[in-house]
Amino acid sequence: MTASAPRHALISGASVAGPVVAYWLRRAGWRVTIVERASHIRNGGYPIDVRGTAAEVTQRMGVYDQIKDARLTRTVSQVIRPNGRKLIKVALNDIIAGVNTIDVELARGELTQILYDVTVGDVEYVFNDSIASIVEVTEGVHVTFVNADPQTFDVVIGADGIHSTTRRLAFGDESQYIHHLGPCVAIYNLSNSAIEPGKGYIYTQPGKSLSVRRSTAGPARVFAAFVVDDPSAIDVDDVKAASRTMKEIYRGAKWPLASGLVEAVETADELYFDTVSQIKMATWSRGRIGLVGDAAFAPSFLSGQGTSIAILGGYVLATELQATTDVSAALNAYETRLRSFIEKNQALAIRKKSNVLPRDAKSLRQRNRRFVTVPILKRLGLMRTLSGDVREASNELSIADYGLGR
Ligand SMILES: Cc1cc2nc3c(=O)[nH]c(=O)nc-3n(C[C@H](O)[C@H](O)[C@H](O)COP(=O)(O)OP(=O)(O)OC[C@H]3O[C@@H](n4cnc5c(N)ncnc54)[C@H](O)[C@@H]3O)c2cc1C
């Protein structure tokens, strides 16, 4: 490689963190290859949020308006008590919109498509492939692939999610880093929807929640989250076992729609089923191999911040990489800048005050009381009072005087 050749980065994973790193490294003059295991951009679509400083990053990328245009339409959900009776109607969008005015809730697939579209022109995407081995050599990082020919890169970034292959190959088995928080989550579409567009239901018992929501575009989506005795014993790839577990968990539910929603898991085309877990590592890099997003610091959906910290993490990583020719020093600088922000956001997932999955009867009563106050707070313009902790965490790291593309 000559001194003037652009530096070449390999990124594993084409979802959120990967394309963000790719975008900014390209802008800084790097050559970038992204390898993605799936055959195409995965556009399965549970709702995610782009919040606070992460939304500012997307403004600097010029994609914020597109993200805003893809905002999920308002749905009004009927909240059901454990005994099956109706409590109140609430629009979750209102709670989400009350965090920061810049925030946007959209389907995850819409976001990944936008990030793909803004990078595909000058980033090399390789689908249907995966890293098979990684070895650091004097000239860089030597990588073999399952399908493509081996190559040597200046840096390798693992942005391949909570079950990262890059992490396993460079840092060892997942079991050292994964922390199960207790629940499992199942998300799937209802093929023959009985739910009207713009409507939804939220049925919660202590430690188990079953909701369904249908935006004006797209199918109704079921979201089930439930605490299990031993999350490490769950085989997340076994759909039949997922269905058996769910039937057991929701047996005796006093809400008439529950059994039909649970039955639908068996025929769901795109099922997302996993334990609700965080990744915690003592360090996010080793030499010239770095991790970002869920691969390095998954906070779990209970934090509501996974996407935002993946975006901001990708941005900081690229900023530090372009600032020096010493890749390993850049990866250390990225971690130094980001770590306390990440820890603050991961902590959101274990707070008692969860709107999604209150674990005990008392927390559920408190959650329901919060829901009852939503219409009043909205009328008074006080929705911000519901989400101070999320607002603080999502803005904890300022990029006002920092980073690429200012
Ligand atoms: C149910 C649920 C709800 C959520 N809700 C929210 C929310 O409300 N707000 C929020 O901010 N976040 C939310 N999140 C979290 C958010 O989806 C993730 O934190 C975020 O997508 C992380 O992005 P990422 O790019 O790091 O990883 P991922 O989005 O997991 O992407 C990893 C990519 O790597 C690819 N890949 C995997 N293995 C390989 C391999 N061996 N080789 C090549 N490619 C590979 C995958 O196909 C995928 O494209 C939620 C997550 C879940 C599961």
Side-chain angles (χ1 to χ4, degrees):
M1 194 179 292
T2 64
S4 59
R7 293 194 281 171
H8 190 183
L10 174 70
I11 297 168
S12 174
S15 175
V16 178
V20 171
V21 179
Y23 174 88
W24 290 107
L25 285 184
R26 274 297 301 143
R27 289 255 319 240
W30 287 62
R31 181 179 162 205
V32 181
T33 301
I34 297 189
V35 59
E36 164 61 51
R37 188 169 55 185
S39 59
H40 57 281
I41 290 296
R42 301 172 71 193
N43 46 16
Y46 53 81
I48 50 95
D49 308 308
V50 177
R51 287 204 183 111
T53 317
E56 288 176 43
V57 170
T58 66
Q59 285 177 326
R60 289 186 185 180
M61 294 172 75
V63 293
Y64 178 69
D65 286 344
Q66 275 171 270
I67 289 175
K68 240 177 26 183
D69 289 346
R71 187 192 290 273
L72 285 178
T73 52
R74 193 164 181 271
T75 48
V76 177
S77 294
Q78 176 67 62
V79 180
I80 314 278
R81 295 176 206 258
N83 63 10
R85 297 226 177 100
K86 293 176 182 172
L87 174 67
I88 189 165
K89 286 185 174 161
V90 65
L92 293 179
N93 317 63
D94 292 343
I95 300 178
I96 289 154
V99 180
N100 306 290
T101 47
I102 197 173
D103 297 359
V104 182
E105 183 195 32
L106 74 165
R108 176 187 138 134
E110 298 274 355
L111 177 64
T112 48
Q113 190 66 50
I114 290 168
L115 295 175
Y116 174 72
D117 289 345
V118 74
T119 47
V120 66
D122 52 10
V123 165
E124 180 194 14
Y125 276 88
V126 180
F127 288 97
N128 273 321
D129 209 351
S130 174
I131 296 176
S133 72
I134 315 177
V135 184
E136 261 206 276
V137 292
T138 322
E139 316 81 68
V141 190
H142 187 70
V143 178
T144 64
F145 297 92
V146 172
N147 295 316
D149 292 337
Q151 275 192 75
T152 300
F153 299 88
D154 294 290
V155 64
V156 172
I157 304 297
D160 39 8
I162 192 164
H163 304 298
S164 166
T165 298
T166 313
R167 188 184 58 229
R168 177 172 53 75
L169 293 172
F171 298 83
D173 195 70
E174 175 175 306
S175 58
Q176 299 170 61
Y177 308 112
I178 196 156
H179 295 257
H180 298 295
L181 300 186
C184 282
V185 62
I187 302 172
Y188 46 97
N189 293 344
L190 276 189
S191 50
N192 193 0
S193 180
I195 312 295
E196 277 176 52
K199 292 202 170 160
Y201 296 88
I202 302 171
Y203 175 59
T204 322
Q205 298 166 279
K208 41 186 147 169
S209 161
L210 184 61
S211 57
V212 59
R213 185 176 169 197
R214 185 168 178 196
S215 195
T216 45
R221 192 157 284 122
V222 181
F223 182 99
F226 44 91
V227 176
V228 293
D229 291 337
D230 181 8
S232 61
I234 297 277
D235 178 358
V236 296
D237 296 318
D238 186 344
V239 177
K240 288 220 160 67
S243 159
R244 271 198 308 277
T245 307
M246 283 181 64
K247 281 185 184 157
E248 213 165 285
I249 295 274
Y250 294 102
R251 182 174 300 135
K254 300 215 165 52
W255 176 43
L257 279 187
S259 60
L261 295 185
V262 171
E263 293 285 339
V265 75
E266 276 174 13
T267 49
D269 48 355
E270 249 196 62
L271 170 69
Y272 174 90
F273 178 59
D274 206 345
T275 60
V276 176
S277 308
Q278 294 188 326
I279 295 295
K280 293 190 171 180
M281 304 181 75
T283 172
W284 303 331
S285 67
R286 184 160 288 167
R288 286 185 257 194
I289 304 164
L291 300 174
V292 67
D294 274 8
F297 40 70
S300 88
F301 83 90
L302 291 173
S303 73
Q305 279 291 92
T307 305
S308 295
I309 68 179
I311 291 172
L312 196 49
Y315 176 71
V316 172
L317 176 51
T319 296
E320 298 299 336
L321 275 172
Q322 66 81 41
T324 168
T325 52
D326 184 341
V327 168
S328 158
L331 293 174
N332 288 334
Y334 141 76
E335 179 162 341
T336 304
R337 188 167 285 274
L338 214 61
R339 196 168 263 282
S340 77
F341 166 77
I342 296 298
E343 284 169 1
K344 190 146 196 170
N345 280 280
Q346 285 192 321
L348 288 174
I350 47 175
R351 74 204 142 141
K352 282 228 116 195
K353 198 178 127 188
S354 169
N355 283 338
V356 185
L357 186 62
R359 303 284 183 108
D360 52 47
K362 186 173 166 212
S363 309
L364 176 55
R365 279 196 302 277
Q366 287 169 342
R367 194 284 309 262
N368 283 349
R369 253 180 256 136
R370 277 197 299 281
F371 277 176
V372 169
T373 63
V374 165
I376 306 158
L377 293 175
K378 197 171 174 218
R379 252 196 325 274
L380 296 174
L382 292 174
M383 288 299 287
R384 284 170 65 82
T385 56
L386 280 179
S387 47
D389 47 358
V390 184
R391 183 161 45 253
E392 212 177 284
S394 62
N395 293 296
E396 168 80 6
L397 183 67
S398 166
I399 55 166
D401 301 313
Y402 171 80
L404 290 159
R406 266 177 290 160

